[in-house]
Amino acid sequence: MLAALVAVVLTPLVRGLARRWGALDHALSSRKVHGRPVPRLGGIAIVAAFLAPVLALYVVDSDVGRQLWNGRRATGALVLGGLAIAALGVVDDLRGLGAKGKFTVQFGVAAFMYALGYRVNDVAIPFGPVLHLGWAGLPFTMLWIAGVVNAMNLIDGLDGLAAGVGLVAVLTTLATSALAGQALMVLFAAALAGALAGFLLYNFNPATIFMGDSGSMFIGFVLATTAIRTAEKSTAAVALAVPLLALGVPISDTLLAMGRRALRGVPLFSADRGHIHHRLLDRGLSHRDAVLVIYGGATLLGLAAVALSVATSVQAALVLLVAGGLALAALRALGFLSFGKVAAALVDRRRNLDRRGAVRRAGELLRRARTAEEIWEAVRSAAPAVGASAVGLTLGRLAGRPDAGPWEDGFDDAPAELLRARYGLAVERPGDDHVEFGWIDGRAAVDRDTEIAIELLCELASGAVDRVERAETVIRLTSLDDRALAGRSARSKI
């Protein structure tokens, strides 16, 4: 109740700060469905609401407070690790980070959690032998934590989706933790459940604030770590299956996304429009209906996880059989298991690999670029790779320089049916630095595969602009120092 109250009070304040700071999520690609700028950074309110009861119980004389104090090593690890993951998300929300940087921090935090006792030492295969991991426990734990963190991040695609699915998963964790006698995990689950319930008042469709990566990754972190502790006291037959079922929706969506992207020849960590919620929208469901359908699926899997934690071997086998059958039927109905589309996907794979190769060649030019003019030439060379007949580049950060553009090629004499699309160099965030492409091939919209190539080009171009800007700053400061030194020398002679 305290967590929910803090979330209800704090979320509007965070929303106002996000607007003031310009931390807005803009609908700048085909995979975005909200259609308007919405404040992000709601994860700050979720984290604060989660911490409120945990910290309050440290100063309240109660049985739960004493358990927190006795388990301060586990509590401290979860709080510190969660704050590190949330801080990573805030930086990503404000500035944008690549997959390499995010994974480095996530794996580092996961190793820290392993050192402080959040470990997967054994893997119990349902109705099979228990595998003692030994030294492999560390990489397995790191993969589990980073995997769930990113699974929750990937599912955050509709108003209220990640918060609602996370709420169902954390209530499942609460129930299984209570059945396993894990008092601290019950407390953590209840705190996160309250925080998500309060946040959902502002995040459900139509959302007035998004949780951002700071929220989705923090939710995934708490779910992953509490699941590790809860599974320690599960029966050998179901220890692995319970958290997998509880987190079935985000985990399956992530695995399907990675398989789909690998088959189509696009980067594994590029965003696309093939997630479960996108498939539901494509079948005519409204925004709210699609979210509610996924809530229903997550609830069924959560109930199966709770049932599995108290079931006998025969009952567990029946639960897994029914859950697996329903999951396969749902995936088939959504078109995920349509093998007839494999041939078309392989054709797309060849085209996407050729496109990415051309963008990488433009990237080599961008890495060698030392002037704004050279950045423009590199961007223009990539236009054929994305099928564009017109291209433009505006570099607001370098405005005022004689060679800083803006540049355009092919727009002046373009026919009326030209399709134009603008992309900020800082992906998903508008600004003065942007690239614009035009197509005259009759397309009505830019397909997601083309957008992925353009976003890669924008990322490379943004890095080149950073280098040119830094070089200009160094030259300007050096010039000022030289003039100051010359002035001091002149005064000294006088």
Side-chain angles (χ1 to χ4, degrees), residues 328-349:
L328 288 174
L331 293 176
R332 184 172 179 82
L334 291 174
F336 285 106
L337 303 180
S338 177
F339 296 103
K341 297 180 180 179
V342 173
L346 292 176
V347 173
D348 291 338
R349 175 183 175 83

Side-chain angles (χ1 to χ4, degrees), residues 330-412:
L331 293 176
R332 184 172 179 82
L334 291 174
F336 285 106
L337 303 180
S338 177
F339 296 103
K341 297 180 180 179
V342 173
L346 292 176
V347 173
D348 291 338
R349 175 183 175 83
R350 182 69 268 164
R351 183 178 64 248
N352 288 329
L353 290 176
D354 290 343
R355 183 182 290 157
R356 286 169 60 188
V359 171
R360 286 198 185 95
R361 288 191 289 275
E364 290 299 320
L365 297 177
L366 288 168
R367 276 186 279 271
R368 294 195 298 267
R370 294 294 178 267
T371 66
E373 185 82 36
E374 290 175 349
I375 294 175
W376 158 241
E377 293 299 332
V379 170
R380 184 167 61 177
S381 72
V386 296
S389 57
V391 59
L393 178 66
T394 299
L395 299 177
R397 278 184 287 170
L398 303 181
R401 290 184 43 170
D403 65 337
W407 299 274
E408 283 190 354
D409 183 14
F411 285 112
D412 290 340

Side-chain angles (χ1 to χ4, degrees), residues 29-95:
S29 73
S30 63
R31 66 188 177 88
K32 298 287 187 177
V33 297
H34 50 278
R36 69 192 190 286
V38 177
R40 54 175 77 198
L41 295 180
I44 294 175
I46 294 174
V47 175
F50 169 84
L51 291 176
V54 176
L55 298 178
L57 283 167
Y58 266 113
V59 298
V60 173
D61 185 16
S62 66
D63 289 339
V64 180
R66 284 188 286 275
Q67 287 210 40
L68 268 176
W69 182 254
N70 293 333
R72 56 188 176 277
R73 179 183 174 91
T75 303
L78 191 142
V79 170
L80 291 176
L83 288 175
I85 290 294
L88 171 68
V90 170
V91 174
D92 192 32
D93 287 332
L94 293 176
R95 300 181 56 187

Side-chain angles (χ1 to χ4, degrees), residues 74-143:
T75 303
L78 191 142
V79 170
L80 291 176
L83 288 175
I85 290 294
L88 171 68
V90 170
V91 174
D92 192 32
D93 287 332
L94 293 176
R95 300 181 56 187
L97 294 172
K100 183 178 179 180
K102 286 190 283 190
F103 272 115
T104 299
V105 175
Q106 290 167 4
F107 282 132
V109 172
F112 168 77
M113 299 302 293
Y114 180 89
L116 292 182
Y118 288 83
R119 301 181 176 185
V120 182
N121 291 320
D122 303 306
V123 174
I125 301 174
F127 321 112
V130 175
L131 301 179
H132 302 289
L133 296 178
W135 63 267
L138 173 59
F140 192 95
T141 301
M142 293 169 65
L143 286 171

Side-chain angles (χ1 to χ4, degrees), residues 72-275:
R72 56 188 176 277
R73 179 183 174 91
T75 303
L78 191 142
V79 170
L80 291 176
L83 288 175
I85 290 294
L88 171 68
V90 170
V91 174
D92 192 32
D93 287 332
L94 293 176
R95 300 181 56 187
L97 294 172
K100 183 178 179 180
K102 286 190 283 190
F103 272 115
T104 299
V105 175
Q106 290 167 4
F107 282 132
V109 172
F112 168 77
M113 299 302 293
Y114 180 89
L116 292 182
Y118 288 83
R119 301 181 176 185
V120 182
N121 291 320
D122 303 306
V123 174
I125 301 174
F127 321 112
V130 175
L131 301 179
H132 302 289
L133 296 178
W135 63 267
L138 173 59
F140 192 95
T141 301
M142 293 169 65
L143 286 171
W144 168 257
I145 293 177
V148 176
V149 165
N150 286 286
M152 288 304 302
N153 189 25
L154 285 175
I155 204 173
D156 186 21
L158 294 180
D159 294 359
L161 182 55
V165 170
L167 179 58
V168 172
V170 79
L171 288 175
T172 303
T173 301
L174 192 156
T176 55
S177 297
L179 292 169
Q182 293 276 10
L184 287 182
M185 300 306 111
V186 171
L187 171 63
F188 297 146
L192 184 57
L196 292 175
F199 180 73
L200 263 172
L201 294 177
Y202 307 94
N203 185 237
F204 195 70
N205 182 260
T208 61
I209 185 172
F210 292 159
M211 66 174 63
D213 288 354
S214 56
S216 60
M217 290 199 293
F218 178 78
I219 295 169
F221 174 80
V222 175
L223 287 171
T225 50
T226 52
I228 290 175
R229 282 300 182 91
T230 302
E232 288 177 353
K233 292 191 177 182
S234 298
T235 62
V238 300
L240 180 65
V242 170
L244 288 175
L245 273 178
L247 298 165
V249 171
I251 289 176
S252 60
D253 194 44
T254 299
L255 294 177
L256 288 167
M258 294 181 70
R260 178 175 65 250
R261 293 163 188 170
L263 183 63
R264 293 181 58 82
V266 298
L268 292 182
F269 302 105
S270 61
D272 60 20
R273 205 181 183 283
H275 291 280

